[in-house]
Amino acid sequence: MAWWEGFDEIRLLIAADTAETGNDVGQLLSLRHPKSGNSMCCLLVNGVLQELNWFKQSYTSWFLGDYVAEDGGLYTATPVDPVFILLPIFEEARMKKGDDPGKFRLVDEIIFVEGYTGYQKLLSIAENCMQAVCEIKEIGSSKFFRLDDSKVLAWMYHKVCQLKQTLSTLDNNYAAREEKDRLIDAVSILGEYLDEPWLKLLSHRLRIDLTEATRKMSDIEILPSTTECNGSQEKSKSDNKTTRPGRQAKKPKVETESHNIREMFTRASSRRKK
């Protein structure tokens, strides 16, 4: 059954085109958000993992052929590096205590997460992508993985440098900002998926103030992650608000700086996929 079958109603989805890498119809996966631990819904198509987010503006509708989506909501599927999603799982699996680096485990053992069968669907990509942040021991035909702090730090540092460089090419005014400010912005964006111990390690490596990066994280406007993989979404509080006839509803105020950072990050992700 295709991933879109079983939805209660027709919805609009904006997603990256992965047709060049195959003709897989894709699968909806229920996973744990690496930062909050809450359920999140992802789309796996042709080996590309994409995070599903739900976006809605008040007083809008979508005309989809003969169907009208009255609430104006839509889904966005944003490609995400699987390492972000798998990092907490591999951290738990190594069972590190103090100076003990932990245990080596088989990948199929590591990604067995009770209540989240979707991780089993990531087996085909987990072994390749996690080599960047793990030590590996081969015994016969089997490979055993253990998360390595130094490799994780190198991977995070590369992500920050890559993001900082990409954001700078999208806006001339942003590129003129000080190096420290651009590093803080990049860390704050990555911080949406990284736990505090990793952020502390990264901030120490970059010699930046973690408190400032944390403040940036609270300012950045992000799309809410989709928690249900059946197409249903709870109505937001704005759905229940009414206005007097003949008067236009006021648009919510958005932090200009954080909005620009989020917009540039989205454009950067799209550009890398072209």
Side-chain angles (χ1 to χ4, degrees):
M1 183 176 71
W3 64 268
W4 59 81
E5 296 181 11
F7 273 56
D8 298 330
E9 52 190 338
I10 298 175
R11 285 296 185 186
L12 180 64
L13 170 67
I14 300 176
D17 184 7
T18 62
E20 294 181 359
T21 58
N23 56 1
D24 184 15
V25 295
Q27 303 175 79
L28 282 177
L29 309 179
S30 179
L31 307 173
R32 276 191 341 207
H33 193 281
K35 181 76 171 185
S36 66
N38 298 327
S39 295
M40 64 184 295
C41 190
C42 291
L43 176 63
L44 180 63
V45 185
N46 295 322
V48 178
L49 187 64
Q50 304 179 55
E51 179 186 358
L52 279 183
N53 294 287
W54 170 253
F55 177 74
K56 181 184 181 303
Q57 287 184 318
S58 301
Y59 312 107
T60 58
S61 297
W62 291 104
F63 292 88
L64 308 173
D66 296 329
Y67 179 81
V68 178
E70 297 181 355
D71 63 5
L74 63 87
Y75 290 97
T76 62
T78 307
V80 59
D81 190 330
V83 176
F84 283 113
I85 306 301
L86 295 172
L87 192 60
I89 308 301
F90 276 68
E91 170 64 22
E92 295 174 5
R94 67 173 171 172
M95 296 182 283
K96 180 180 179 181
K97 294 181 180 179
D99 295 332
D100 182 7
K103 299 180 178 180
F104 284 87
R105 306 278 297 276
L106 291 167
V107 172
D108 55 354
E109 293 178 351
I110 295 174
I111 64 175
F112 177 79
V113 182
E114 186 176 357
Y116 291 89
T117 57
Y119 283 98
Q120 300 299 312
K121 304 296 183 181
L122 299 180
L123 183 60
S124 59
I125 62 176
E127 185 170 313
N128 289 332
C129 71
M130 294 306 290
Q131 291 187 35
V133 292
C134 289
E135 292 181 73
I136 302 174
K137 282 187 177 181
E138 295 189 35
I139 301 178
S141 60
S142 300
K143 289 184 179 181
F144 295 81
F145 289 70
R146 182 178 67 189
L147 203 64
D148 182 274
D149 289 357
S150 61
K151 287 191 173 184
V152 175
L153 177 59
W155 173 79
M156 292 189 299
Y157 181 80
H158 172 73
K159 288 293 182 182
V160 168
C161 294
Q162 185 181 47
L163 179 57
K164 178 174 68 72
Q165 181 179 3
T166 303
L167 292 177
S168 299
T169 63
L170 298 178
D171 188 284
N172 292 332
N173 293 329
Y174 185 84
R177 299 182 64 183
E178 293 186 3
E179 174 79 4
K180 179 181 177 182
D181 292 333
R182 287 184 289 152
L183 283 174
I184 291 176
D185 286 341
V187 171
S188 65
I189 292 175
L190 296 183
E192 297 173 17
Y193 299 92
L194 296 172
D195 286 333
E196 186 173 346
W198 295 121
L199 289 176
K200 285 183 177 179
L201 190 65
L202 179 60
S203 298
H204 179 73
R205 170 67 176 82
L206 296 171
R207 298 180 180 179
I208 62 174
D209 185 2
L210 178 59
T211 304
E212 181 68 14
T214 303
R215 185 190 66 79
K216 286 281 187 179
M217 276 185 271
S218 63
D219 289 343
I220 292 177
E221 181 190 22
I222 61 174
L223 298 179
S225 295
T226 300
T227 58
E228 299 292 338
C229 286
N230 59 4
S232 63
Q233 292 294 328
E234 294 183 4
K235 291 186 177 181
S236 63
K237 294 181 180 180
S238 61
D239 295 343
N240 300 323
K241 294 181 180 180
T242 57
T243 56
R244 296 179 182 178
R247 296 184 62 182
Q248 184 178 5
K250 294 183 179 180
K251 295 183 179 180
K253 295 181 179 180
V254 180
E255 288 280 349
T256 303
E257 180 182 5
S258 59
H259 176 74
N260 289 340
I261 295 174
R262 169 55 54 187
E263 181 179 331
M264 287 190 294
F265 181 55
T266 303
R267 287 160 57 192
S269 299
S270 300
R271 177 173 291 187
R272 288 197 299 269
K273 287 296 175 180
K274 289 183 180 180

